[in-house]
Amino acid sequence: MRIHVNGEVHDLSAATLSELLFALDYEGDWLATAVNGDLVHAEDRPQFHLKDSDRIEILSPMQGG
């Protein structure tokens, strides 16, 4: 399956958003994730199935001011 993650194209076999995060070495409920512009909460990631051509944004909070 070909998906876009933070603007880069990846060919991955991940079926769910949780599997994708694991495959790309992203861990933690503190991450913010969006698929095709819609926020996906941490508790919904294991059931959120990905489709070919999905656009995923993975963000981590930054500290500072």
Side-chain angles (χ1 to χ4, degrees), residues 25-43:
D25 292 324
Y26 285 98
E27 294 185 38
D29 289 340
W30 48 268
L31 292 170
T33 54
V35 178
N36 300 322
D38 294 322
L39 181 66
V40 179
H41 295 282
E43 63 269 11

Side-chain angles (χ1 to χ4, degrees), residues 12 15 17-18 21 26 44 47:
L12 298 167
L17 188 51
S18 286
L21 293 173
Y26 285 98
D44 297 328
Q47 302 88 280

Side-chain angles (χ1 to χ4, degrees), residues 1-62:
M1 170 173 26
R2 181 167 281 194
I3 56 175
H4 302 262
V5 180
N6 292 347
E8 295 182 12
V9 177
H10 293 267
D11 288 312
L12 298 167
S13 62
T16 67
L17 188 51
S18 286
E19 290 174 7
L20 171 74
L21 293 173
F22 181 78
L24 296 177
D25 292 324
Y26 285 98
E27 294 185 38
D29 289 340
W30 48 268
L31 292 170
T33 54
V35 178
N36 300 322
D38 294 322
L39 181 66
V40 179
H41 295 282
E43 63 269 11
D44 297 328
R45 293 176 192 154
Q47 302 88 280
F48 193 97
H49 288 273
L50 299 173
K51 299 181 297 288
D52 195 43
S53 298
D54 274 345
R55 295 185 179 277
I56 293 103
E57 296 294 327
I58 303 168
L59 305 167
S60 60
M62 292 180 58

